[in-house]
């Protein structure tokens, strides 16, 4: 991976370098004295009104204006702080965390660690210049909190790197090898837990009669892989399985995507990558959860062997699927992976997938859709996501929509007969393959909107966001 350290966070008792100071626009309203702002009169003279970032050279204070005092305001502002420090070539700064609530402290740390991310590993550089990381001296913060945030953010950025890696490099072999190698690297380091990586290929899937998954892989130049990663500490509270859609590239198959819809399809592996990042985070954090990560890895190509609209596929659950659209391929991969996951006797199963454009239409580009049959479980996940710094919202399983995926010749259609409610009908399609005993133990997270966005937002740069890692880890951390 192309990871380079751009920010180094140190725990310190003393201020060193430039001082970072948060201020609010309310302080600059008429009648306020600005007694807590050392350069108040100077800033007013220059017309600064407490919005944006402003550096005063004489006092060596970098003022950071906040619209409100919410987590997202702090994290977004800190992303701008990094850019300012970088542009001014300031290599050391200090920030006091004293008096700030823990959720605000986390937001600030995420602002530094996630907001400093860049992906430019494929640009030609005539001269390789060694760039020193910017040191941030953190005053009044717990070491345990800093370490936790650093681990999670490291894997968010790790996932961003994988998702951003182009498909001519990040093919199915690359992703499955990466999953195995990273898992076994931690297995050597954390010997107090049982950590394994098993990579299943086409022959295994043929034995298991994974007809839906294999159909998607038919025209590919590369084999499909089902990566099964497992982590078992000595006394786990619960057993959880997380499942990820890993389409390393999606042309749409014979139901070919228009050119402008195809250009970001390297991001269709975002679900599997998020699952990998959450899994590796769980190991390093030492969570007392037995965790299994299932990654369904393939691409959806075109060619003489490609599966077709009108094909009928037989899934591992023995249910038949009438193919109406080969661009609804992720759900075909997922149903066989979910079938495999249900054999693991888990307490919870959660899948993550860049599944539908309809979810983006429903919730916008920045929010994940949370679906399932258990409202309490859905609400718990949404709360965890929001607490972690990710946006998520629950979508209802309307039973009347189920008739839209009925087939005349098979058990179910792979797409809806209506253009409306597509995120929910995709979730209901997956639900058809969830056994009765798992209906209340399963969640489906559609991350199609926020997984890859072509403009900056909050702590997220252009491209991959690493969405799903923070919310998943937060949810797992809260399990009793």
């Amino acid at each position: 991976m192309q990871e380079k350290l751009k920010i180094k966070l140190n725990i310190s008792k003393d201020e060193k370098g430039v001082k970072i100071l948060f201020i609010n626009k309310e302080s600059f309203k008429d009648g306020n004295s600005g007694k807590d702002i050392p350069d108040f009169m100077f800033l007013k003279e220059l017309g600064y009104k407490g919005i944006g970032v402003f550096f005063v050279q004489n006092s060596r204070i970098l003022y950071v204006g906040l619209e409100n005092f919410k987590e997202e305001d702090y994290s977004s502002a800190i992303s701008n702080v990094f850019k300012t420090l970088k542009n001014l070539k300031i290599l050391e700064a200090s920030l006091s965390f004293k008096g700030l609530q823990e959720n605000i402290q986390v937001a600030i740390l995420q602002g530094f660690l996630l907001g400093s991310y860049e992906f430019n590993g494929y640009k030609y550089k005539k001269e390789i210049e060694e760039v020193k990381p910017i040191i941030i001296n953190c005053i009044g913060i717990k070491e345990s909190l800093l370490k936790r945030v650093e681990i999670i953010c490291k894997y968010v950025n790790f996932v961003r790197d994988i998702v951003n890696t182009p498909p001519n490099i990040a093919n199915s072999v690359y992703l499955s090898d990466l999953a195995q190698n990273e898992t076994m690297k931690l297995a050597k380091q954390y010997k107090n837990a049982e950590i394994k990586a098993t990579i299943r290929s086409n022959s295994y899937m043929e034995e298991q009669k994974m007809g839906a998954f294999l159909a998607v892989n038919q025209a590919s130049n590369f084999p499909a892989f089902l990566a099964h990663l497992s982590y078992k500490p000595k006394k786990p509270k619960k057993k959880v399985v997380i499942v990820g859609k890993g389409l390393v590239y999606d042309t749409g198959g014979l139901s070919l995507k228009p050119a402008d819809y195809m250009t970001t399809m390297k991001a269709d592996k975002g679900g599997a990558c998020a699952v990998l990042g959450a899994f590796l985070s769980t190991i390093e954090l030492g969570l007392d959860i037995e965790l299994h990560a299932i990654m369904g890895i393939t691409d959806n190509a075109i060619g003489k062997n490609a599966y077709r609209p009108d094909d009928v596929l037989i899934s591992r659950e023995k249910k038949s699927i009438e193919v109406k659209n080969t661009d609804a391929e992720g759900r075909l991969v997922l149903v066989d992976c979910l079938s495999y996951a249900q054999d693991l006797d888990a307490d919870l199963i959660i899948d993550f997938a860049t599944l539908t454009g309809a979810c983006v239409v429903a919730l916008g580009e920045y929010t994940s859709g949370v679906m399932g049959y258990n409202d309490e479980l859905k609400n718990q996940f949404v709360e965890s996501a929001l607490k972690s710094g990710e946006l998520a919202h629950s979508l209802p399983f309307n039973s009347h929509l189920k008739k839209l995926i009925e087939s005349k010749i098979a058990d179910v259609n792979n797409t809806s007969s209506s253009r409306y409610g597509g995120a929910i009908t995709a979730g209901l399609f997956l639900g058809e393959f969830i056994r009765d005993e798992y209906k209340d133990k399963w969640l489906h997270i559609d991350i199609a909107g926020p997984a890859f966005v072509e403009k900056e937002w909050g702590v997220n740069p252009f491209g991959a966001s690493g969405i799903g890692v923070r919310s998943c880890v937060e949810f797992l951390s809260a399990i009793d």
Side-chain angles (χ1 to χ4, degrees):
M1 307 313 295
Q2 65 131 30
E3 183 181 2
K4 289 181 181 176
L5 193 64
K6 296 179 178 66
I7 286 278
K8 184 178 180 183
L9 303 181
N10 288 336
I11 294 178
S12 176
K13 292 181 180 178
D14 305 311
E15 288 182 1
K16 300 171 187 175
V18 167
K19 179 179 179 180
I20 299 169
L21 187 63
F22 291 109
I23 55 176
N24 185 263
K25 62 180 182 179
E26 297 296 318
S27 302
F28 288 85
K29 286 191 173 180
D30 292 339
N32 289 342
S33 64
K35 60 181 179 179
D36 297 324
I37 303 173
D39 299 295
F40 181 69
M41 293 308 297
F42 178 67
L43 291 170
K44 284 202 79 172
E45 285 173 14
L46 292 176
Y48 180 66
K49 297 181 179 179
I51 298 173
V53 179
F54 195 102
F55 179 53
V56 179
Q57 285 183 304
N58 285 346
S59 61
R60 292 187 61 75
I61 297 176
L62 185 66
Y63 291 96
V64 185
L66 296 172
E67 288 278 343
N68 296 293
F69 294 99
K70 296 178 180 178
E71 294 99 316
E72 60 186 327
D73 296 300
Y74 279 94
S75 57
S76 296
I78 286 295
S79 297
N80 292 326
V81 166
F82 166 75
K83 292 168 190 169
T84 302
L85 294 173
K86 180 183 174 184
N87 291 336
L88 294 175
K89 294 183 167 44
I90 295 170
L91 294 178
E92 188 168 21
S94 299
L95 175 61
S96 175
F97 289 77
K98 293 176 181 177
L100 296 175
Q101 294 178 340
E102 187 174 294
N103 60 326
I104 299 297
Q105 293 184 0
V106 170
I108 292 169
L109 295 173
Q110 288 182 347
F112 280 122
L113 296 169
L114 300 180
S116 60
Y117 175 86
E118 295 172 334
F119 187 84
N120 53 17
Y122 296 98
K123 288 192 174 183
Y124 174 67
K125 295 171 185 172
K126 289 184 179 178
E127 296 178 5
I128 298 175
E129 180 183 351
E130 186 179 349
V131 180
K132 293 181 179 179
I134 297 171
I135 296 170
I136 306 296
N137 297 296
C138 304
I139 300 165
I141 196 165
K142 292 180 182 176
E143 185 177 358
S144 57
L145 180 66
L146 176 58
K147 184 179 179 183
R148 174 183 169 83
V149 177
E150 282 183 324
I151 289 170
I152 295 170
C153 290
K154 175 178 74 172
Y155 284 112
V156 172
N157 288 335
F158 168 76
V159 169
R160 288 171 169 180
D161 274 353
I162 312 170
V163 175
N164 281 326
T165 301
N168 58 317
I169 296 169
N171 55 39
S172 64
V173 176
Y174 173 98
L175 184 54
S176 59
D177 283 350
L178 181 68
Q180 183 173 41
N181 294 338
E182 292 297 323
T183 300
M184 298 319 296
K185 193 188 296 180
L186 292 188
K188 292 177 183 176
Q189 189 175 347
Y190 296 92
K191 295 185 178 179
N192 58 337
E194 188 180 317
I195 301 169
K196 295 179 181 177
T198 305
I199 308 297
R200 314 280 195 187
S201 191
N202 293 57
S203 57
Y204 174 84
M205 287 183 249
E206 287 167 7
E207 289 173 13
Q208 291 290 307
K209 295 181 169 44
M210 293 183 169
F213 191 162
L214 286 170
V216 178
N217 184 247
Q218 277 177 198
S220 177
N221 291 323
F222 299 93
F225 295 98
L226 186 151
H228 179 180
L229 318 174
S230 61
Y231 159 73
K232 187 177 181 180
K234 289 182 179 178
K235 293 182 179 179
K237 292 177 182 176
K238 293 263 179 82
K239 183 193 285 190
V240 180
V241 183
I242 50 178
V243 180
K245 170 190 169 185
L247 267 291
V248 293
Y249 199 74
D250 179 22
T251 65
L254 292 181
S255 304
L256 193 66
K257 292 178 184 290
D260 55 342
Y261 279 73
M262 209 186 293
T263 51
T264 59
M265 283 300 104
K266 64 182 180 182
D268 217 17
K269 57 186 179 288
C273 296
V275 160
L276 176 59
F279 174 77
L280 298 174
S281 298
T282 297
I283 296 173
E284 285 211 36
L285 291 169
L287 301 186
D288 49 359
I289 299 290
E290 180 179 343
L291 186 63
H292 295 257
I294 311 300
M295 301 165 64
I297 306 169
T298 182
D299 64 317
N300 186 22
I302 56 173
K304 63 181 181 180
N305 295 325
Y307 78 118
R308 299 157 292 256
D310 281 347
D311 281 357
V312 173
L313 314 175
I314 307 300
S315 68
R316 188 175 185 270
E317 287 294 300
K318 299 183 172 58
K319 284 193 171 185
S320 59
I321 304 164
E322 182 181 2
V323 177
K324 289 292 188 181
N325 189 323
T326 64
D327 195 22
E329 85 300 325
R331 63 198 72 181
L332 300 178
V333 171
L334 280 176
V335 294
D336 280 343
C337 290
L338 285 166
S339 175
Y340 179 96
Q342 288 172 92
D343 285 351
L344 298 176
D345 192 28
D347 296 297
L348 291 171
I349 298 175
I350 311 169
D351 74 72
F352 294 82
T354 50
L355 206 64
T356 66
C359 197
V360 190
V361 173
L363 297 175
E365 293 179 291
Y366 311 121
T367 305
S368 299
V370 180
M371 286 164 263
Y373 297 100
N374 185 330
D375 287 338
E376 184 180 350
L377 198 60
K378 287 196 295 182
N379 291 336
Q380 287 172 3
F381 190 90
V382 170
E383 287 174 13
S384 293
L386 296 175
K387 185 178 178 182
S388 76
E390 294 184 2
L391 298 175
H393 194 73
S394 176
L395 292 174
F397 271 178
N398 181 337
S399 59
H400 295 287
L401 293 176
K402 191 175 175 181
K403 67 183 76 170
L404 300 177
I405 54 172
E406 290 176 356
S407 168
K408 298 291 185 184
I409 63 169
D411 292 315
V412 64
N413 273 325
N414 81 321
T415 56
S416 169
S417 58
S418 168
R419 62 182 293 188
Y420 302 111
I424 296 171
T425 52
L428 286 168
F429 174 85
L430 297 178
E432 288 292 298
F433 300 83
I434 301 296
R435 301 164 200 164
D436 289 342
E437 62 267 31
Y438 279 103
K439 294 284 189 189
D440 285 337
K441 299 177 181 180
W442 164 68
L443 285 176
H444 163 55
I445 319 297
D446 192 331
I447 62 171
F452 192 96
V453 173
E454 295 184 272
K455 50 185 172 289
E456 294 183 3
W457 54 290
V459 297
N460 301 289
F462 167 92
S465 65
I467 213 77
V469 176
R470 287 184 285 165
S471 57
C472 186
V473 172
E474 186 65 42
F475 182 81
L476 295 174
S477 300
I479 289 177
D480 295 324

